[in-house]
Every structure is written in C-alpha cells, then in structure tokens.
Amino acid sequence: LTGGAGGNGADGITGTTGGAGGAGGTVAYTLVGDVAGTIALDEGAAGSAGGGAGEAGAAGAAGTVLMTLTGTVTGDVTAASDDEGAITVAGTSVFSGNVGTATNQIRLLTGSASTTITKNLYADTMTFGSQALVLNGTTAQIVGGALAGDADVTVNNGATGTFLEAAVIDTLTIAGTGNVTFENTLTADTITMAATGGNLTLENTVTSGATALTAKGTLTIGNSFEAGDTVFVCGAGCNMDNGFTINVPETFNTGVITLLDAGGGAGTVANAVAAMTLNGNVLATYAASVDNTNDILITATKKSSSTIATALGVSAEAASALDSAATVLNTATSVQDLATQLALNTV
C-alpha cells in the first residue's frame, strides 16, 4: 500500500511567493479476511520546496496509508521507513508475523477490537480502547513503542514478552507459565498472575489499583532498582496475601527497597510478608517487613567476606573484591559494566 508523493513547491519570482506543492494522495484500505503474504506500508515521500528569487513555495506533504483490518495476517507487516503507515484493528485480528521492525516502526496502531500477536510488534504509538492485546508467541516477543489507553493485556501460557516503552493499560493477566518484562513504567488497574509458575519482571515502578500476585508466581525485581526505590505504588484493592517468590538483583546488597507503597487493600501486608519467599544470593540476605501499616519493605544485609568466600570457595580478598564490584555496578551504564553485572547475577 503506497501513498502518493507530495508535490514540489513552485519557484518564487521577485516580489512573489511560489505556489505550495500539493499533498500526496492518501490510501485508505479496508481488509476483511485473511492475508497469507506480506503487507508493505509506504507513505510516499514529501515534495521539495521551490526556489527562485522570490519566496519559495512550500513542499507538499507525503501521502498517508491507513489500513483497517479484520482477520489474520500470516506474513509480516512492514514499513518502508521509520514511522510510516497506520493500522486500525476494527474486528478480531491475529498477526502471525512481525509488525514493523526496531528500525522501521509503523506510525500508529489503534486497537478497536481484540488483537493477538505471535511475534514482534513495533509501533511508534499504540492506542487501545477496552480491548484485548494478547501475546501468544512460541518464541520471545518484543512490543516496542508506547502503549496508551485501556487495553486488557494477556500473556498466554508459555508466551514470553518484553514491553520496551511506557505502558498504560486496564488489566494485565499472566496466564500459566507466561513470562513478561516491562522495561519502562507500567500503569494498570489490575495485575493478576496465575498460580502456576508465571513471571513478572520489572525494571521501573508500577502504579496499580489492584495487584494480585498469587502463589507459585515469581516477581523479578530488575537490576535498575537500587536502595531507596519503590517497586509498586498500589491502591486500595491491593492484595499480595497468597504468597509469591521474589527474585532480588545481586547488586542490591545493602539498604532498603520499598516493595509496596499501598493505600490499604483487600489483603493485609502482614499476611503478605509472611507468605512471600525472598530468594537470597551469595552477597546478601533479604528480609521483608511491614512499614507504616500498609507498606512492605525489603531490607538487604551484606554477608561478611568470609561467608561469601566460603560459599564461592575463594579467598576472603577475592570475596571482598566481588562484593565491592557488585556495589559499584549497581549504577552501571556502560555496555561493559552491564555485561559484568549480568555475569554477577548468575553467580
């Protein structure tokens, strides 16, 4: 699907303004049914401004491509260059191939009906009403681009997904052994994890009205968190009483992280603290405690160099160096430091 190229502006002669170039033609295409091949979105090129001795005529804008979809697309959906093409999902649809790429995202995805993706989705802007966005891939999936609106996001059993940008949604449901990572902020009215081994990994603060993290589910606090940070800011419907496992980053080896900053909830934080399991590591021990009636803190206490040395079978000097390196790498930014931090997390 190719939009028209914008017209060139006219040259201006002395004392006059050249005429503006016309906008490229818009392509609006409605597809109801299944597509086995690739769909290419190309919005054409903008024209160029005029020249001349007078005021140059303005360049014409590139055309736009707008596709309205109800059905299954088996092939990929590609953009000719970054930020081209718009898709509106008008009826229940499935994308079995990739939608956009990391370098050439589509311009806009509007979810007005249930949308299932089985591979990667890259869109500069994604806006959903109260509709489903389902991750159902058999290999790891990336969702690139900001997500806004009231989507009901489901990560199906066995699916693994990573959201790269900020997400504002209505509900998040992690089914079965679903595994999802949020690299940026997450705002959700409800977060529910099935009690069968799902995983939620967070690299930034979550704001939620009602969180239910259930037994056998795992919460992984990412390496971006450090002492003084807050993981969940939760409203009155928050309930973590059923027990779940928390993975804490190796580089958090002293201080306090606020797991839950809550305004009260359906459960009690004392019950939540008693029910949860904190995974320790070779550098520190962790303990959960109640603070200010409704909050939960995780406190890290460094192990002694001798304890670390015994656990790893190394000298006390080597253990002390490892502990110091982990502390410094808590604020790692370079590729080399982040790689070292990752290696520490596997110790």
Side-chain angles (χ1 to χ4, degrees):
L1 305 176
T2 304
N8 295 330
D11 294 342
I13 60 175
T14 303
T16 66
T17 300
T26 294
V27 174
Y29 182 75
T30 299
L31 174 62
V32 178
D34 299 337
V35 178
T38 296
I39 297 176
L41 307 178
D42 182 352
E43 296 197 321
S48 59
E55 186 175 344
T64 57
V65 175
L66 310 172
M67 183 178 75
T68 302
L69 175 68
T70 301
T72 297
V73 180
T74 303
D76 293 340
V77 179
T78 64
S81 60
D82 195 34
D83 205 23
E84 290 199 31
I87 300 173
T88 295
V89 177
T92 300
S93 297
V94 176
F95 292 96
S96 297
N98 293 301
V99 180
T101 65
T103 53
N104 288 346
Q105 300 184 100
I106 66 171
R107 175 167 50 82
L108 174 66
L109 174 67
T110 302
S112 299
S114 176
T115 304
T116 297
I117 60 172
T118 62
K119 292 188 178 179
N120 297 330
L121 168 59
Y122 288 96
D124 185 60
T125 302
M126 292 175 282
T127 303
F128 275 72
S130 298
Q131 304 294 338
L133 173 60
V134 180
L135 277 62
N136 194 40
T138 56
T139 57
Q141 299 175 250
I142 299 293
V143 179
L147 175 59
D150 295 304
D152 295 320
V153 175
T154 296
V155 182
N156 275 350
N157 181 35
T160 298
T162 299
F163 288 76
L164 300 181
E165 304 296 336
V168 179
I169 62 178
D170 185 15
T171 65
L172 170 64
T173 302
I174 303 171
T177 58
N179 188 334
V180 63
T181 297
F182 287 87
E183 298 280 358
N184 210 307
T185 56
L186 169 64
T187 302
D189 288 343
T190 304
I191 301 172
T192 303
M193 188 188 305
T196 52
N199 181 78
L200 171 62
T201 298
L202 301 173
E203 294 290 352
N204 212 314
T205 300
V206 174
T207 302
S208 176
T211 300
L213 297 178
T214 51
K216 298 184 181 178
T218 300
L219 170 66
T220 299
I221 301 174
N223 290 327
S224 61
F225 283 94
E226 56 188 59
D229 289 342
T230 298
V231 182
F232 283 95
V233 178
C234 198
C238 208
N239 188 343
M240 295 184 175
D241 284 7
N242 292 327
F244 58 97
T245 298
I246 301 176
N247 292 325
V248 183
E250 288 278 357
T251 48
F252 172 52
N253 54 21
T254 187
V256 176
I257 285 177
T258 300
L259 172 66
L260 177 64
D261 180 356
T268 63
V269 291
N271 289 344
V273 166
M276 68 180 60
T277 300
L278 295 176
N279 281 338
N281 59 58
V282 296
L283 299 180
T285 58
Y286 303 105
S289 60
V290 177
D291 184 58
N292 295 329
T293 306
N294 293 316
D295 302 339
I296 299 175
L297 306 181
I298 297 176
T299 301
T301 302
K302 279 186 179 183
K303 293 180 181 178
S304 67
S305 296
S306 59
T307 301
I308 297 172
T310 300
L312 295 177
V314 299
S315 68
E317 291 78 9
S320 179
L322 177 63
D323 177 53
S324 298
T327 301
V328 171
L329 289 170
N330 192 39
T331 56
T333 56
S334 73
V335 172
Q336 292 87 351
D337 283 353
L338 289 170
T340 306
Q341 185 187 80
L342 178 62
L344 280 174
N345 283 349
T346 65
V347 173

